[in-house]
Amino acid sequence: MSELVQLTRDGEIAIITIQNPPVNALSPGVPEGILASIETVASDDAIQAAVLIGANRRFIAGADIKEFAKITSGGKRSIGLNEVLDKVENCSKPVVAAIEGHAFGGGLETAMACHYRVAAPSAQVGQPECKLGIIPGAGGTQRLPRLCGVAKAAELCAFGDPVKASEALTLGIVDQVIAGDMLAGAVAFAREAAAKPLIRTRDRNGKLSEAADFDAIRKAAAKRSRNLMAAQKAIDSVEASTKMSFDEGLANEQKLFMECLYSDQSKAMIHVFFGEREVAKIPGITKETPVIPIAAAAVIGAGTMGGGIAMCFANAGIPVIVKETTQEALDRGLATIRKNYSNSVKKGRFSQEVMDARMALMTPQLTYDGFEKADIVIEAVFEGMALKKQIFGELDGIVKQGAILASNTSTLNIDEIASATKRPEFVVGTHFFSPANVMKLLEVVRGKETSLPVINTCMQLGKKLAKVSVLVGNCFGFVGNRMFGPYRREAQFLVEEGASVPAVDQVLYNFGMAMGPLATGDLAGLDVGWRIRKEIAHLQKPGIRQPVAEDQLCEKGRYGQKTGVGWYKYDENRNAVVDPDVAAWVKQWATEKGIEQREIGADEILDRCIYALVNEGARILEEGFALRSVDIDIVYLYGYGFPAYRGGPMKYADLVGLDKVYARICEFEKQHGELWRPAPLLEKLAKEGSTFSAWDKSRG
Ligand code: T1G
């Protein structure tokens, strides 16, 4: 028996225990161990039934995702699970799956091949494969509809959301919910089952004839996961279960599974799965690195960002002081917070009691009273260096030693802000994204003095605030905004050169971005970039082309949604309406600048915008302002609406091929000059036929 699967007995009941920490994935050796155990159960007359359970109160989290690359690189034929599950299902003795923690993907498929399933109240089951760009590949789309009905099975496989044990019981996925000692309860259940006739899940065809509006489910899946192939394929496979025999359905599922597995979408989404976990690993930070306890917080500024940040702390149950300079500003800030919470209550996200409890954790005030008790203070005031340094100077005299002083600046120099204090090792950037109570990304900006315990604390705090924390370096715009500059620059240049505003946005929207670059400018406020450009105008290199259109729009007071006009006009429901005036003005501004207007195709629009991201990303990596290319990808997925099925800008470039990306950028350099000078790292990797992912690995 492999050490990954243990077979023990409790009288006439066999206990098959999966022990493959941390999540009991079906790594090589586990399916084999299950198979050997089942063969023993079937052949030993002393055994009446069996329980399949996971060690550490965790059932099986699915196939070993790390193995997929071996399949797509030709090193391995398949996950080889179907043969094993066929043996489980055809075992002559009842096999009971005892589910604690997560039964996900191949884990649920294994449980459904068993004859019965019992679950702990806190257990969750699900088919999240579509979040990896694949579909269930071991019978999930054939056995699940037989247990919970066709429509529900299609939804569970297309959306990938888990269901709790109580709902799984109602749906018929599990047969009993057992509180307390799971093993004892499962063994007792198995004893009873031994006396009952065996029913294989594959034979439970009753629910296959239930009505299901597959087109409605396809539409809902397309709305929720735009352009995601796996979601649609999963629905196709479940629908096939109503038209084919079990074995035909299984073969069809395998075919669709392989189509998805070999797709770029799946490679991208598996990259994201491991990337979300990789970004939390910081060289030099270990389990021994101290974490500063955060039991009380304070936020300076109750504006859009300050208010959203305060909500994050209250949502996490951490008391938070909210300081403003005027009562009017404080009232306005609190009113916005209250409105946001009321909207959530109206939408049934949580109760009025929860809202009241969160509001009660906030202390709005005009003074620094109580700041001496705060474990972290986050400054979220206007983007002005002088004001920030004044505030950090004041905080330095008030806040207790050992507390963290953080700035929510989105562009300014953390070291310069820290220089206003005598404790730069406790100063850090915590760059939230608007709306801060919604957006999942948190850029943790390390200053040159910022200590590892402070970084460690902020990375962990991000998790507590339900954020994805990414550590970035202290360069202008850090990672996200530094790359966003060239991306939006190219979008403006393309419009000045003749592309229409909606055309540019539509190309990036079709690519999968949540919103086009120009509409995003209108959402964030065109004046934000305009003020920053004016602040740094003295830094601009002479002779380098600068976009003109957005500054001109701002000169006209067109800041975007907040003024009702920007690149677009906005109706009373904030829907964007194309404004022909803008096209006429841009034509005039371009002509004044001697910029020739021409027909521009979708490929050029896409490549200039996305490759501007990639080129700047490569510069950030070689300058050391991001630890790994995957960190940049995660920043773009959670902060800038980059589609997960593209993997992020750096992974997308890898999938296109860095040689092609480099060649295209060289073309643009010829046409548009030094703004498009390829980053040396990109040039190097392209010429070596390598990838950014390989570069990450090479840095260990
Ligand atoms: N394969 C390989 N490694 C895995 C893994 C998996 N399925 N799941 C987790 N890990 C690693 C993870 O990278 C991390 O590693 C460590 O385990 C702890 O994970 C045939 C084809 C179960 C909810 O999609 O959702 O089955 O960073 O930090 O927060 O049809 O892990 O420590 O080195 O996430 O407690 C379908 C994926 C696979 C579930 C636990 N299954 N896992 O969350 O721990 S495809 C999934 C999760 C499949 C079949 C198909 C979560 C979790 P490291 P963690 P956690």
Side-chain angles (χ1 to χ4, degrees), residues 491-540:
Q492 293 175 63
F493 282 171
L494 287 156
V495 171
E496 290 167 11
E497 293 163 32
S500 77
V501 171
V504 170
D505 278 347
Q506 192 63 45
V507 166
L508 276 302
Y509 181 78
N510 294 348
F511 173 78
M513 297 298 283
M515 188 183 268
L518 303 167
T520 304
D522 276 357
L523 177 70
L526 302 179
D527 56 321
V528 179
W530 184 43
R531 291 182 209 294
I532 293 171
R533 280 191 295 279
K534 282 201 275 189
E535 269 226 2
I536 61 168
H538 61 288
L539 298 171
Q540 298 301 354

Side-chain angles (χ1 to χ4, degrees), residues 264 267-279 433 439-443 468-472 479-480 483-484 511 513 610 613-618 620-621 625-656 658 691-697:
D264 279 355
K267 293 188 183 95
M269 296 176 86
I270 290 170
H271 166 80
V272 170
F273 175 83
F274 289 116
E276 286 164 341
R277 288 149 182 86
E278 195 67 19
V279 291
F433 287 73
M439 294 298 284
K440 285 199 53 89
L441 179 66
L442 175 64
E443 278 188 327
V468 175
S469 309
V470 179
L471 182 66
V472 298
V479 167
M483 292 167 67
F484 214 53
F511 173 78
M513 297 298 283
I610 299 296
L613 282 176
V614 174
N615 204 28
E616 195 63 27
I620 286 172
L621 289 174
F625 291 116
L627 287 171
R628 296 155 288 239
S629 70
V630 72
D631 292 40
I632 294 177
D633 289 333
I634 298 298
V635 162
Y636 263 75
L637 260 68
Y638 287 103
Y640 297 83
F642 202 97
Y645 64 78
R646 302 278 187 189
M650 311 314 279
K651 182 64 180 178
Y652 171 70
D654 278 353
L655 291 169
V656 169
L658 295 189
T691 64
F692 288 118
S693 295
W695 185 81
D696 287 354
K697 288 203 181 68

Side-chain angles (χ1 to χ4, degrees), residues 21-27 58 60-68 79 81 85 101-109 124 126-132 134-140 253 257 261 273-274 276-278 281 463:
V23 294
N24 291 329
L26 295 159
S27 313
R58 281 178 178 256
I60 300 167
D64 187 331
I65 303 168
K66 292 194 185 72
E67 293 292 302
F68 293 160
I79 44 184
L81 200 50
L85 299 190
H102 307 94
F104 280 175
L108 178 56
E109 289 169 307
Q124 293 186 46
Q127 304 282 178
E129 285 90 342
C130 62
K131 295 179 180 174
L132 299 168
I134 55 177
I135 72 167
E253 176 194 83
F257 169 76
L261 190 65
F273 175 83
F274 289 116
E276 286 164 341
R277 288 149 182 86
E278 195 67 19
K281 298 169 185 160
K463 252 200 216 135

Side-chain angles (χ1 to χ4, degrees), residues 29 159 195 201 216 220 331 333 337 364 387 396 421 429 468 603 624 645 679:
F159 299 154
T201 305
D331 296 345
I337 292 172
L387 175 60
D396 199 26
T421 74
V468 175
D603 290 354
Y645 64 78

Side-chain angles (χ1 to χ4, degrees), residues 20 87 129 133 148 239 246 287 303 339 346 351 363 450 456 468 496 526 586 602 604 616 620 622 648 650 695:
N20 182 23
K87 286 276 186 288
E129 285 90 342
C148 69
E239 184 173 17
F246 179 83
K287 285 197 175 53
K339 192 165 112 291
K346 278 198 211 93
S351 67
T363 309
T450 309
N456 194 21
V468 175
E496 290 167 11
L526 302 179
V586 170
E604 180 179 348
E616 195 63 27
I620 286 172
E622 66 204 10
M650 311 314 279
W695 185 81

